[in-house]
Amino acid sequence: MRIGILGSGSVGQTLANKLLTLGHEITLGSRSGSNQTGSAWAQAAGPHGQNGTFADAAEFGELVINATLGTGALAALEAAGAKALAGKVLVDVCNPLVFAEDGTLSLDPVNTDSVGEQIQRAFPDTRVVKALNTLSAPVMVDPTRVPGRHQLFIAGEDAGAKQEVVALLESFGWPGADIVDLGGIQAARSLEMLMPFWVNLWRHYGHTDFNYSFQIGG
Amino acid sequence: MRIGILGSGSVGQTLANKLLTLGHEITLGSRSGSNQTGSAWAQAAGPHGQNGTFADAAEFGELVINATLGTGALAALEAAGAKALAGKVLVDVCNPLVFAEDGTLSLDPVNTDSVGEQIQRAFPDTRVVKALNTLSAPVMVDPTRVPGRHQLFIAGEDAGAKQEVVALLESFGWPGADIVDLGGIQAARSLEMLMPFWVNLWRHYGHTDFNYSFQIGG
């Protein structure tokens, strides 16, 4: 499948490398098509990976992944263009993190809105699915880094889009039974609001190879 | 030990009943000393449980638990009085939930503040420990309702106060190894911000006998 990835940082590259090993064709998009990180990635990636602008990546992808910084996500998607994104599944991986000078984390938007919802409102013809924003990039593409059963969470308005995303996540090694559908895109609020807790756990454990695992009674 | 509990709702009563079985003396505090729920509880509780005002409960307790609604917590604590709370450990269990007419949940305060921090600022001589706000009342006092290992999280400025709270939680049946200290009271933000996710999981699972369990790799 042709997949466009917006954002050439570590999350975008980690997803891109995994998708290449699964036989997909990737365009990694950055603000500038001559972005150094993107170009270096494409050179190493071989014939099935190329880099370009956000618009190049969005046009290229049959499915598009938003792996930009959350606070710049809307600008990146505007640059990609509504036409290039229309009708497509957009997997929104980002979190709107704002770090103060003293290291304190807050989110913007938060509480009564989320980046996932902002994107769905701004691009009504795009089928947005919030996914993968609750864990580190290495674990996203290799759930065996964390022992035992542990869960992923998705949210979105389009049931068919969610099915496609579940299939993609299963191809990464996630058991379907551990992918929890929290409902419509409004649930993206609750998923993005996990991030301050996740950062505190990272500081507590000293690494990011951990994930939510729900033990269920009743 | 004499324990004052602010809030005579289901969380306050569940904690009170458990503490009675552990041999503590309880005063359950409400806005009014003649509160019907509180009076009914005290009648059923026997000789070691009584009810009264917020001030009665705070004065009575060697340790105080805030089990009020988060949006009314500061008012309840003002009614209890700074003098009655001075020097004491205050276990803050509450979440500042605001439900819109359509059932949508938001928090107030959120993101750059928390009820835990507000209380610590308003009552600087009180040793506030955020705890138990991440799970349902029945699981708070009976971790075996959820199978396997699963975790509690605490935050607060006073190491000695946190030790006392850990001991109390251990007496409820929580293994000390599963009580995760996330640091200072600012971490209360991240704990309170879990609540929208928890409510979505409640809707998903259809009951509240679940809890966070971290599978750790690395």
PDB file of all heavy atoms in Angstrom, chain B residues 6 16 33 38 43 45 50 55 71 75-76 82 86 88 97 105 118 138 142-143 147 149 182 193 202:
ATOM      1  N   LEU B   6     -14.286  13.742  54.856  1.00  0.00           N
ATOM      2  CA  LEU B   6     -15.122  14.824  54.341  1.00  0.00           C
ATOM      3  C   LEU B   6     -15.856  14.309  53.110  1.00  0.00           C
ATOM      4  O   LEU B   6     -15.228  13.925  52.122  1.00  0.00           O
ATOM      5  CB  LEU B   6     -14.257  16.033  53.973  1.00  0.00           C
ATOM      6  CG  LEU B   6     -13.259  16.506  55.044  1.00  0.00           C
ATOM      7  CD1 LEU B   6     -12.519  17.753  54.558  1.00  0.00           C
ATOM      8  CD2 LEU B   6     -13.955  16.777  56.360  1.00  0.00           C
ATOM      9  N   ALA B  16     -15.173   4.787  54.705  1.00  0.00           N
ATOM     10  CA  ALA B  16     -15.510   4.752  56.136  1.00  0.00           C
ATOM     11  C   ALA B  16     -15.783   3.322  56.602  1.00  0.00           C
ATOM     12  O   ALA B  16     -15.287   2.885  57.655  1.00  0.00           O
ATOM     13  CB  ALA B  16     -16.724   5.642  56.397  1.00  0.00           C
ATOM     14  N   GLY B  33     -24.527  19.073  59.664  1.00  0.00           N
ATOM     15  CA  GLY B  33     -24.367  17.983  60.639  1.00  0.00           C
ATOM     16  C   GLY B  33     -25.585  17.091  60.713  1.00  0.00           C
ATOM     17  O   GLY B  33     -25.504  15.965  61.214  1.00  0.00           O
ATOM     18  N   GLY B  38     -25.495  11.104  56.003  1.00  0.00           N
ATOM     19  CA  GLY B  38     -24.509  10.935  57.065  1.00  0.00           C
ATOM     20  C   GLY B  38     -25.120  10.336  58.320  1.00  0.00           C
ATOM     21  O   GLY B  38     -24.530   9.436  58.950  1.00  0.00           O
ATOM     22  N   GLN B  43     -25.922   5.737  62.063  1.00  0.00           N
ATOM     23  CA  GLN B  43     -26.818   4.826  62.790  1.00  0.00           C
ATOM     24  C   GLN B  43     -26.456   3.379  62.508  1.00  0.00           C
ATOM     25  O   GLN B  43     -26.471   2.529  63.397  1.00  0.00           O
ATOM     26  CB  GLN B  43     -28.268   5.084  62.389  1.00  0.00           C
ATOM     27  CG  GLN B  43     -28.853   6.301  63.103  1.00  0.00           C
ATOM     28  CD  GLN B  43     -30.363   6.293  63.054  1.00  0.00           C
ATOM     29  OE1 GLN B  43     -30.939   5.930  62.032  1.00  0.00           O
ATOM     30  NE2 GLN B  43     -31.007   6.697  64.140  1.00  0.00           N
ATOM     31  N   ALA B  45     -23.518   2.349  61.508  1.00  0.00           N
ATOM     32  CA  ALA B  45     -22.088   2.089  61.692  1.00  0.00           C
ATOM     33  C   ALA B  45     -21.741   1.523  63.060  1.00  0.00           C
ATOM     34  O   ALA B  45     -20.702   0.881  63.233  1.00  0.00           O
ATOM     35  CB  ALA B  45     -21.303   3.382  61.463  1.00  0.00           C
ATOM     36  N   GLN B  50     -19.445   8.021  63.650  1.00  0.00           N
ATOM     37  CA  GLN B  50     -20.391   9.104  63.884  1.00  0.00           C
ATOM     38  C   GLN B  50     -20.368  10.056  62.701  1.00  0.00           C
ATOM     39  O   GLN B  50     -19.462   9.977  61.864  1.00  0.00           O
ATOM     40  CB  GLN B  50     -20.043   9.840  65.167  1.00  0.00           C
ATOM     41  CG  GLN B  50     -18.596  10.283  65.252  1.00  0.00           C
ATOM     42  CD  GLN B  50     -18.253  10.828  66.649  1.00  0.00           C
ATOM     43  OE1 GLN B  50     -19.027  11.577  67.223  1.00  0.00           O
ATOM     44  NE2 GLN B  50     -17.107  10.432  67.170  1.00  0.00           N
ATOM     45  N   ALA B  55     -16.349  20.491  59.667  1.00  0.00           N
ATOM     46  CA  ALA B  55     -15.459  20.927  60.760  1.00  0.00           C
ATOM     47  C   ALA B  55     -15.350  19.845  61.836  1.00  0.00           C
ATOM     48  O   ALA B  55     -14.254  19.578  62.349  1.00  0.00           O
ATOM     49  CB  ALA B  55     -15.981  22.231  61.362  1.00  0.00           C
ATOM     50  N   THR B  71     -15.279  19.591  42.576  1.00  0.00           N
ATOM     51  CA  THR B  71     -15.642  20.980  42.308  1.00  0.00           C
ATOM     52  C   THR B  71     -16.081  21.709  43.583  1.00  0.00           C
ATOM     53  O   THR B  71     -16.134  22.932  43.603  1.00  0.00           O
ATOM     54  CB  THR B  71     -16.769  21.052  41.262  1.00  0.00           C
ATOM     55  OG1 THR B  71     -17.791  20.122  41.639  1.00  0.00           O
ATOM     56  CG2 THR B  71     -16.243  20.661  39.884  1.00  0.00           C
ATOM     57  N   ALA B  75     -14.392  24.569  49.031  1.00  0.00           N
ATOM     58  CA  ALA B  75     -15.424  25.092  49.931  1.00  0.00           C
ATOM     59  C   ALA B  75     -15.588  24.194  51.149  1.00  0.00           C
ATOM     60  O   ALA B  75     -15.729  24.677  52.285  1.00  0.00           O
ATOM     61  CB  ALA B  75     -16.756  25.229  49.184  1.00  0.00           C
ATOM     62  N   ALA B  76     -15.554  22.895  50.936  1.00  0.00           N
ATOM     63  CA  ALA B  76     -15.693  21.958  52.049  1.00  0.00           C
ATOM     64  C   ALA B  76     -14.525  22.099  53.020  1.00  0.00           C
ATOM     65  O   ALA B  76     -14.702  22.086  54.250  1.00  0.00           O
ATOM     66  CB  ALA B  76     -15.776  20.525  51.511  1.00  0.00           C
ATOM     67  N   ALA B  82      -8.820  25.809  58.429  1.00  0.00           N
ATOM     68  CA  ALA B  82      -7.376  25.587  58.341  1.00  0.00           C
ATOM     69  C   ALA B  82      -6.801  25.111  59.669  1.00  0.00           C
ATOM     70  O   ALA B  82      -5.878  24.295  59.704  1.00  0.00           O
ATOM     71  CB  ALA B  82      -6.689  26.873  57.885  1.00  0.00           C
ATOM     72  N   ALA B  86      -4.483  21.788  60.268  1.00  0.00           N
ATOM     73  CA  ALA B  86      -3.045  22.122  60.335  1.00  0.00           C
ATOM     74  C   ALA B  86      -2.232  20.942  60.860  1.00  0.00           C
ATOM     75  O   ALA B  86      -2.601  20.297  61.844  1.00  0.00           O
ATOM     76  CB  ALA B  86      -2.846  23.338  61.225  1.00  0.00           C
ATOM     77  N   LYS B  88      -1.907  18.050  59.791  1.00  0.00           N
ATOM     78  CA  LYS B  88      -2.449  16.707  59.545  1.00  0.00           C
ATOM     79  C   LYS B  88      -2.212  16.234  58.114  1.00  0.00           C
ATOM     80  O   LYS B  88      -2.080  17.037  57.186  1.00  0.00           O
ATOM     81  CB  LYS B  88      -3.954  16.695  59.823  1.00  0.00           C
ATOM     82  CG  LYS B  88      -4.279  16.921  61.298  1.00  0.00           C
ATOM     83  CD  LYS B  88      -5.771  16.892  61.560  1.00  0.00           C
ATOM     84  CE  LYS B  88      -6.030  17.187  63.048  1.00  0.00           C
ATOM     85  NZ  LYS B  88      -7.478  17.369  63.321  1.00  0.00           N
ATOM     86  N   LEU B  97     -14.796  16.780  38.495  1.00  0.00           N
ATOM     87  CA  LEU B  97     -15.595  16.405  37.328  1.00  0.00           C
ATOM     88  C   LEU B  97     -16.708  17.411  37.065  1.00  0.00           C
ATOM     89  O   LEU B  97     -17.445  17.784  37.971  1.00  0.00           O
ATOM     90  CB  LEU B  97     -16.238  15.031  37.557  1.00  0.00           C
ATOM     91  CG  LEU B  97     -15.307  13.903  37.996  1.00  0.00           C
ATOM     92  CD1 LEU B  97     -16.109  12.611  38.137  1.00  0.00           C
ATOM     93  CD2 LEU B  97     -14.159  13.723  37.023  1.00  0.00           C
ATOM     94  N   LEU B 105     -17.880  14.906  29.700  1.00  0.00           N
ATOM     95  CA  LEU B 105     -17.116  15.167  30.911  1.00  0.00           C
ATOM     96  C   LEU B 105     -15.968  16.119  30.628  1.00  0.00           C
ATOM     97  O   LEU B 105     -15.238  15.948  29.651  1.00  0.00           O
ATOM     98  CB  LEU B 105     -16.545  13.840  31.431  1.00  0.00           C
ATOM     99  CG  LEU B 105     -15.547  13.934  32.587  1.00  0.00           C
ATOM    100  CD1 LEU B 105     -16.189  14.537  33.823  1.00  0.00           C
ATOM    101  CD2 LEU B 105     -14.964  12.565  32.884  1.00  0.00           C
ATOM    102  N   GLN B 118      -4.404  22.977  44.393  1.00  0.00           N
ATOM    103  CA  GLN B 118      -5.192  24.072  44.988  1.00  0.00           C
ATOM    104  C   GLN B 118      -5.297  23.904  46.503  1.00  0.00           C
ATOM    105  O   GLN B 118      -5.146  24.862  47.258  1.00  0.00           O
ATOM    106  CB  GLN B 118      -6.601  24.090  44.390  1.00  0.00           C
ATOM    107  CG  GLN B 118      -6.659  24.606  42.953  1.00  0.00           C
ATOM    108  CD  GLN B 118      -8.091  24.649  42.432  1.00  0.00           C
ATOM    109  OE1 GLN B 118      -8.947  23.862  42.852  1.00  0.00           O
ATOM    110  NE2 GLN B 118      -8.353  25.552  41.498  1.00  0.00           N
ATOM    111  N   PRO B 138     -15.238   0.735  45.286  1.00  0.00           N
ATOM    112  CA  PRO B 138     -15.137  -0.674  45.717  1.00  0.00           C
ATOM    113  C   PRO B 138     -13.731  -1.255  45.522  1.00  0.00           C
ATOM    114  O   PRO B 138     -13.272  -2.049  46.354  1.00  0.00           O
ATOM    115  CB  PRO B 138     -16.162  -1.382  44.818  1.00  0.00           C
ATOM    116  CG  PRO B 138     -17.159  -0.314  44.479  1.00  0.00           C
ATOM    117  CD  PRO B 138     -16.352   0.945  44.352  1.00  0.00           C
ATOM    118  N   ASP B 142     -10.745  -2.836  48.112  1.00  0.00           N
ATOM    119  CA  ASP B 142     -10.638  -4.277  47.878  1.00  0.00           C
ATOM    120  C   ASP B 142      -9.980  -4.531  46.524  1.00  0.00           C
ATOM    121  O   ASP B 142     -10.637  -4.808  45.529  1.00  0.00           O
ATOM    122  CB  ASP B 142     -12.015  -4.942  47.918  1.00  0.00           C
ATOM    123  CG  ASP B 142     -11.916  -6.441  47.706  1.00  0.00           C
ATOM    124  OD1 ASP B 142     -10.780  -6.979  47.649  1.00  0.00           O
ATOM    125  OD2 ASP B 142     -12.974  -7.091  47.567  1.00  0.00           O
ATOM    126  N   PRO B 143      -8.635  -4.434  46.510  1.00  0.00           N
ATOM    127  CA  PRO B 143      -7.926  -4.611  45.234  1.00  0.00           C
ATOM    128  C   PRO B 143      -8.153  -5.972  44.593  1.00  0.00           C
ATOM    129  O   PRO B 143      -7.959  -6.098  43.378  1.00  0.00           O
ATOM    130  CB  PRO B 143      -6.450  -4.400  45.606  1.00  0.00           C
ATOM    131  CG  PRO B 143      -6.369  -4.331  47.081  1.00  0.00           C
ATOM    132  CD  PRO B 143      -7.731  -4.047  47.611  1.00  0.00           C
ATOM    133  N   PRO B 147      -8.249  -8.798  39.013  1.00  0.00           N
ATOM    134  CA  PRO B 147      -7.233  -9.861  39.113  1.00  0.00           C
ATOM    135  C   PRO B 147      -5.820  -9.351  38.820  1.00  0.00           C
ATOM    136  O   PRO B 147      -5.647  -8.306  38.191  1.00  0.00           O
ATOM    137  CB  PRO B 147      -7.674 -10.857  38.035  1.00  0.00           C
ATOM    138  CG  PRO B 147      -8.440 -10.047  37.042  1.00  0.00           C
ATOM    139  CD  PRO B 147      -9.089  -8.939  37.814  1.00  0.00           C
ATOM    140  N   ARG B 149      -1.757  -8.153  39.240  1.00  0.00           N
ATOM    141  CA  ARG B 149      -1.140  -6.979  39.848  1.00  0.00           C
ATOM    142  C   ARG B 149      -1.623  -5.726  39.124  1.00  0.00           C
ATOM    143  O   ARG B 149      -1.723  -5.702  37.904  1.00  0.00           O
ATOM    144  CB  ARG B 149       0.378  -7.073  39.762  1.00  0.00           C
ATOM    145  CG  ARG B 149       0.940  -8.124  40.696  1.00  0.00           C
ATOM    146  CD  ARG B 149       2.461  -8.053  40.713  1.00  0.00           C
ATOM    147  NE  ARG B 149       2.932  -6.754  41.205  1.00  0.00           N
ATOM    148  CZ  ARG B 149       4.221  -6.455  41.318  1.00  0.00           C
ATOM    149  NH1 ARG B 149       5.143  -7.316  40.962  1.00  0.00           N
ATOM    150  NH2 ARG B 149       4.578  -5.271  41.776  1.00  0.00           N
ATOM    151  N   LEU B 182       4.576   9.247  42.344  1.00  0.00           N
ATOM    152  CA  LEU B 182       4.885  10.048  41.159  1.00  0.00           C
ATOM    153  C   LEU B 182       5.550  11.383  41.496  1.00  0.00           C
ATOM    154  O   LEU B 182       5.750  12.205  40.622  1.00  0.00           O
ATOM    155  CB  LEU B 182       3.628  10.289  40.321  1.00  0.00           C
ATOM    156  CG  LEU B 182       3.077   9.078  39.587  1.00  0.00           C
ATOM    157  CD1 LEU B 182       1.890   9.476  38.726  1.00  0.00           C
ATOM    158  CD2 LEU B 182       4.144   8.398  38.723  1.00  0.00           C
ATOM    159  N   MET B 193      -6.216  14.089  35.408  1.00  0.00           N
ATOM    160  CA  MET B 193      -6.481  14.066  33.960  1.00  0.00           C
ATOM    161  C   MET B 193      -6.699  12.662  33.409  1.00  0.00           C
ATOM    162  O   MET B 193      -7.037  12.495  32.231  1.00  0.00           O
ATOM    163  CB  MET B 193      -5.350  14.781  33.210  1.00  0.00           C
ATOM    164  CG  MET B 193      -5.425  16.302  33.368  1.00  0.00           C
ATOM    165  SD  MET B 193      -3.948  17.161  32.740  1.00  0.00           S
ATOM    166  CE  MET B 193      -4.301  17.187  30.968  1.00  0.00           C
ATOM    167  N   TRP B 202     -14.960   2.791  31.497  1.00  0.00           N
ATOM    168  CA  TRP B 202     -16.158   2.351  32.218  1.00  0.00           C
ATOM    169  C   TRP B 202     -17.295   2.107  31.219  1.00  0.00           C
ATOM    170  O   TRP B 202     -17.959   1.062  31.242  1.00  0.00           O
ATOM    171  CB  TRP B 202     -16.516   3.413  33.252  1.00  0.00           C
ATOM    172  CG  TRP B 202     -17.804   3.232  33.984  1.00  0.00           C
ATOM    173  CD1 TRP B 202     -18.574   2.105  34.081  1.00  0.00           C
ATOM    174  CD2 TRP B 202     -18.475   4.236  34.769  1.00  0.00           C
ATOM    175  NE1 TRP B 202     -19.674   2.355  34.859  1.00  0.00           N
ATOM    176  CE2 TRP B 202     -19.642   3.646  35.287  1.00  0.00           C
ATOM    177  CE3 TRP B 202     -18.200   5.571  35.063  1.00  0.00           C
ATOM    178  CZ2 TRP B 202     -20.535   4.359  36.098  1.00  0.00           C
ATOM    179  CZ3 TRP B 202     -19.084   6.266  35.870  1.00  0.00           C
ATOM    180  CH2 TRP B 202     -20.240   5.663  36.378  1.00  0.00           C
TER     181      TRP B 202
END
